């Protein structure tokens, strides 16, 4: 399935502009609950870091703006990604609820966990609260900032967090969500040279036991399919 026509909910909402002396334009922290785009920097310099974050550390490589997966093309023209991280793994989650989207999950993370906002980098909808198979881009991806999803420092710093809405301990994994997950994961794996065996369920990295992303998450199928995609 081609993801291109799917809406990227919220990502096209432009942030309120605040000139912070960095030459960057950012929305206010209060709105950091969801996927969003920001408007740009005429004056950013590699290694300068971002407002609200510590300066870039050596492990974070300053490079030219990052591309987005082709399926997220609508966001491209509105986003500047000033640097990338050395992503090393892809961590798959489920939301464990029956409905949701990046905005709702982000609000929950902010209000109940005290995080800045959405802990994941991407959210894939299950048709209940967001389009089935639709991919939402979180601000952490646009910022190339660490996640708040894994439960370990390493995987929060260098693991890309993808949450599929739904509870896959109970429900079957929707094929439409799988197709989107495969396309996104394959793109990320190719772009960041992440081997398929570094596609991990949350349960494999979190120190405390968790069922996330559920027994019906098709890990081995995803690894095989990504491996196949990488050979193309
Ligand atoms: Zn999880």
């Amino acid at each position: 399935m081609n993801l291109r026509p799917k809406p990227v909910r919220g990502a096209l909402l432009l942030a309120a502009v605040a000139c912070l002396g960095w030459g960057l334009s950012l929305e206010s922290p209060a709105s950091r609950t969801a996927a969003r785009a920001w408007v740009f920097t005429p004056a950013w310099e590699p290694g300068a870091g971002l407002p609200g974050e510590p300066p870039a550390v050596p492990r974070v490589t300053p490079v030219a703006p990052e591309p987005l997966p082709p399926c997220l093309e609508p966001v491209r023209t509105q986003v500047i990604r000033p640097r990338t991280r050395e992503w090393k793994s892809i961590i798959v989650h489920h939301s464990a609820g029956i409905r949701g989207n990046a905005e709702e999950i982000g609000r929950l993370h902010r209000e109940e966990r005290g995080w800045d906002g959405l802990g994941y980098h991407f959210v894939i909808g299950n048709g209940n609260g967001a389009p089935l198979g639709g991919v939402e881009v979180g601000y952490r991806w646009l910022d190339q900032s660490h996640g708040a999803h894994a439960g370990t420092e390493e995987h929060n710093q260098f693991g890309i967090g993808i949450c599929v809405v739904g509870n896959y301990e109970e429900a079957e994994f929707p094929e439409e969500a799988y197709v989107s997950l495969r396309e996104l994961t394959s793109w990320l794996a190719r772009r960041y040279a992440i081997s398929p065996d570094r596609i991990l369920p949350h349960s494999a990295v979190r120190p405390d036991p968790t069922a996330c992303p559920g027994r019906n998450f098709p890990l081995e199928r995803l690894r095989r399919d990504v491996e196949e995609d990488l050979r193309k």
Side-chain angles (χ1 to χ4, degrees):
M1 180 181 296
N2 186 352
L3 300 184
R4 198 176 303 272
K6 289 176 184 165
V8 181
R9 184 188 173 101
L12 299 179
L13 297 175
L14 292 181
V17 173
C19 295
L20 302 175
W22 297 72
L24 284 169
S25 303
L26 292 170
E27 64 182 339
S28 69
S31 62
R32 304 186 110 199
T33 56
R36 55 88 172 156
W38 72 22
V39 201
F40 68 92
T41 167
W44 177 83
E45 291 180 11
L50 295 170
E53 286 191 341
V57 296
R59 288 183 302 180
V60 179
T61 312
V63 293
E66 278 296 278
L68 281 172
C71 55
L72 303 173
E73 184 74 34
V75 185
R76 184 184 301 279
T77 56
Q78 302 184 39
V79 177
I80 294 293
R81 289 155 297 279
R83 59 194 168 93
T84 186
R85 299 176 85 82
E86 292 180 1
W87 301 113
K88 294 175 179 168
S89 60
I90 296 169
I91 315 293
V92 182
H93 303 259
H94 68 171
S95 69
I98 58 172
R99 64 156 287 130
N101 53 52
E103 184 177 357
E104 291 176 9
I105 297 170
R107 192 183 315 126
L108 203 74
H109 285 175
R110 197 171 44 131
E111 293 175 359
E112 296 191 0
R113 303 191 187 182
W115 300 342
D116 274 358
L118 182 69
Y120 310 113
H121 295 97
F122 298 94
V123 174
I124 297 178
N126 72 340
N128 194 3
L132 177 59
V135 179
E136 297 183 83
V137 190
Y139 73 87
R140 291 175 191 270
W141 182 256
L142 301 176
D143 290 359
Q144 289 290 293
S145 69
H146 64 86
H149 56 90
T152 73
E153 179 68 10
E154 182 199 342
H155 288 100
N156 274 337
Q157 287 294 333
F158 301 108
I160 301 168
I162 303 175
C163 176
V164 183
V165 176
N167 184 330
Y168 301 111
E169 270 294 273
E170 296 167 6
E172 289 302 309
F173 204 90
E175 188 61 18
E176 293 87 345
Y178 177 79
V179 170
S180 296
L181 177 63
R182 172 181 177 175
E183 186 170 339
L184 178 60
T185 303
S186 290
W187 187 90
L188 292 167
R190 186 187 302 278
R191 174 69 183 79
Y192 298 101
I194 296 170
S195 136
D197 62 10
R198 297 294 292 165
I199 300 168
L200 302 167
H202 188 195
S203 55
V205 302
R206 185 174 134 152
D208 306 324
T210 175
C212 182
R215 72 187 79 178
N216 295 327
F217 164 60
L219 174 65
E220 292 311 318
R221 178 187 174 196
L222 181 63
R223 284 176 169 168
R224 275 197 313 273
D225 286 344
V226 170
E227 198 167 347
E228 184 184 317
D229 291 344
L230 292 178
R231 280 198 296 265
K232 290 175 185 169

